[in-house]
Amino acid sequence: MPDGPAPPPTVQKLRIRYAKRGRLRFTSHRDIQRAFERALRRAAVPMAYSAGFTPHPKVSWAGAAPTGVASEAEYVEIGVTRALVPAELAAALDESLPADLDILEVVEAATPNLMERLEASVWEIRLPGVEPKVAVDAVAAFVAAPEVLVERMTKNGVRTFDARAAVTAMEAAGGEVAGADPAADAADGAGDGPDGPADGPAGAGSVSGAAEGDGVSAGESGVGEGGGRQDRPCAILRLVVRHLTPAVRPDDVLTGLGRVAGLVPPVPPQVTRLAQGPLRDGSDATPTSVSVEALSDPLDPDRAAAGSAGER
């Protein structure tokens, strides 16, 4: 047994939502961890430590985004030895972190199992150089496929898995595909013909015009030869992906789009995670959506519990 007294107990757990933006999307998760640990020391946060010969600060990471991907919804939980005011911790920690690694919110952990609530992610994938109509057709082909097998190298070798099974909904600028869940398709198959889902706005393979005012631009302006302005096509995909095992990442979905529709972006895509959380019920009251509204906020139960405690 190690000599000396036991470390002070954890008296409070805090859950932090942070964003990884700009050039920091190319930072590895290990480097993000180091940056957070340094920031916690700079901000003089009274961290709780594990016992044993090599004590470690009590920091738990949840569902980190891959290297090269930006995110507006990353989560980490810390344990402290003295009760803190969440808003004050957020300000102190944000000031201690590098630019583009931004603290968005801190709440006291009043419920268990944050990781289990991160059921899915909403992703936005910008595809410079791809015409929106090409992306719309590729999305339609993807959601119409019963499965889309892709391969990825893992630490245990090459694995083959179904990228289609994880995608519950997907849309492209200039068109939309809704209700893209294979399980839901099977349940609703009474109206399908022998060759696949029937066409229509409620079908998984239906394509319609993009809603006005959704904030998604179907193109980008560029500078043409001679200094003149010209439009450069830029398709934008938004998709809701369940967190399965093995995990299906945005690049796996892009590989699948290449398999079923020959969509190969001419330049690297720009990927951003917009949200993580529990999937909302796909009922008429809360229809399947390809936006942050498709997911509930995973910190809502903690806020509700804190509010109930404050009323007592």
Side-chain angles (χ1 to χ4, degrees):
M1 295 292 293
D3 296 329
T10 301
V11 301
Q12 185 186 42
K13 292 183 179 180
L14 296 140
R15 288 170 177 163
I16 302 169
R17 179 188 172 203
Y18 68 95
K20 183 175 67 164
R21 298 167 171 155
R23 293 175 62 87
L24 284 193
R25 69 184 184 273
F26 299 111
T27 304
S28 72
H29 181 55
R30 183 168 296 179
D31 287 333
I32 295 291
Q33 290 176 313
R34 293 193 189 102
F36 255 91
E37 289 178 3
R38 294 189 185 107
L40 290 166
R41 289 196 295 269
R42 290 191 196 102
V45 177
M47 293 297 300
Y49 280 78
S50 62
F53 289 101
T54 56
H56 296 284
K58 291 188 175 181
V59 181
S60 299
W61 301 86
T67 303
V69 171
S71 178
E72 294 295 314
E74 300 297 288
Y75 293 91
V76 61
E77 180 179 292
I78 65 172
V80 295
T81 59
R82 173 170 52 84
L84 303 176
V85 177
E88 293 177 359
L89 173 63
L93 196 54
D94 192 55
E95 186 177 352
S96 300
L97 284 166
D100 292 332
L101 197 57
D102 302 318
I103 302 298
L104 302 181
E105 185 177 10
V106 177
V107 302
E108 183 171 1
T111 60
N113 304 324
L114 172 65
M115 189 65 183
E116 293 180 7
R117 296 204 289 268
L118 303 182
E119 297 176 351
S121 290
V122 179
W123 297 96
E124 180 180 275
I125 306 175
R126 299 178 66 88
L127 302 173
V130 175
E131 292 284 352
K133 179 61 168 63
V134 173
V136 169
D137 293 342
V139 166
F142 184 93
V143 300
E147 66 176 9
V148 179
L149 298 180
V150 299
E151 294 180 347
R152 187 172 75 224
M153 178 63 72
T154 70
K155 62 182 180 181
N156 296 320
V158 178
R159 293 197 62 176
T160 301
F161 53 93
D162 182 12
R164 174 66 185 84
V167 179
T168 67
M170 185 189 298
E171 70 180 7
E176 182 177 75
V177 177
D181 190 340
D185 294 347
D188 297 335
D192 295 346
D195 296 327
D199 291 336
S206 64
V207 179
S208 63
E212 294 182 4
D214 61 1
V216 177
S217 171
E220 292 182 337
S221 295
V223 179
E225 295 182 4
R229 301 293 296 179
Q230 65 178 9
D231 288 334
R232 182 164 67 103
C234 179
I236 300 175
L237 307 181
R238 283 188 180 171
L239 53 155
V240 182
V241 181
R242 284 197 296 263
H243 298 166
L244 303 180
T245 303
V248 173
R249 305 182 308 202
D251 55 310
D252 298 320
V253 176
L254 288 174
T255 299
L257 289 168
R259 290 279 177 87
V260 300
L263 177 62
V264 179
V267 298
Q270 301 163 9
V271 183
T272 301
R273 171 148 55 195
L274 303 179
Q276 283 192 88
L279 283 161
R280 291 186 186 274
D281 183 16
S283 64
D284 291 340
T286 55
T288 301
S289 169
V290 194
S291 72
V292 295
E293 298 302 321
L295 307 180
S296 300
D297 190 327
L299 300 181
D300 276 347
D302 297 300
R303 297 189 196 94
S308 299
E311 292 173 359
R312 289 198 293 268

